[in-house]
Amino acid sequence: MKNKIISVLLLIAGIAMTAIPLNTDCAAHGHFMKNGQPMGCHYSAIGLTILGGVVIVAALLAIFIKNRGVSIVMYLLAAVAAVLGYLIPRGIIKIGNGVPMKEGGWMCGVCKSPDMACHQSMMPIMNIVLGVVLALSIIGLIMRFLGRREG
């Protein structure tokens, strides 16, 4: 029962992870590059939304599949998604097409100016959400490893 509560909370955090980024990035606030193309934070928001979808699927599988091994793998998957959600927008893990953005390429990241919406709203909120996802995943893992062996 406790694992189900953790999984439901993880599901809620995953839903937040999918809904928040595309509504709080610079493009959502009407800020674009001079060529009309979205800035790097928009591509990070897309990535965070996809990772949120991964967390949702992992949480649903952890809720409905009773197998202990599946739950462990799903909590690990959600934890990895949270860590990637932290590393990708910061450029620690580079994702893009290799073409400079001025030439029509794309790259995940955040805007250079700390006054932009991605620094003021998207990333502070996402840092909290990603921390919650990671914490719930770790708690779920600990509970599954220390809990009953069957199921």
Side-chain angles (χ1 to χ4, degrees):
M1 182 65 174
K2 292 177 187 174
N3 282 328
K4 211 168 251 198
I5 293 170
I6 295 296
S7 297
V8 168
L9 292 174
L10 189 61
L11 176 64
I12 294 167
I15 292 169
M17 201 170 154
T18 60
I20 292 170
L22 289 174
N23 293 308
T24 56
D25 68 347
C26 292
H29 288 89
H31 302 287
F32 295 91
M33 293 181 10
K34 290 178 184 173
N35 64 3
Q37 179 179 345
M39 294 182 256
C41 64
H42 180 69
Y43 301 106
S44 293
I46 292 170
L48 288 166
T49 300
I50 292 168
L51 291 171
V54 170
V55 172
I56 289 171
V57 170
L60 287 172
L61 289 173
I63 290 168
F64 293 113
I65 297 179
K66 306 281 187 235
N67 186 293
R68 181 175 178 263
V70 170
S71 293
I72 289 170
V73 170
M74 293 304 108
Y75 288 132
L76 283 171
L77 182 63
V80 168
V83 171
L84 287 174
Y86 184 82
L87 297 176
I88 290 170
R90 286 160 180 78
I92 297 170
I93 296 177
K94 297 194 183 308
I95 296 180
N97 65 356
V99 177
M101 290 190 73
K102 292 178 183 176
E103 298 173 16
W106 65 274
M107 175 66 78
C108 289
V110 290
C111 297
K112 292 178 182 169
S113 173
D115 296 329
M116 297 300 285
C118 56
H119 287 285
Q120 298 297 319
S121 59
M122 183 177 82
M123 289 316 298
I125 295 168
M126 288 311 298
N127 287 340
I128 294 168
V129 172
L130 292 167
V132 168
V133 169
L134 186 60
L136 289 170
S137 298
I138 291 170
I139 292 168
L141 281 169
I142 291 170
M143 290 174 64
R144 286 310 262 171
F145 276 116
L146 298 179
R148 291 180 284 131
R149 294 288 178 192
E150 66 273 354

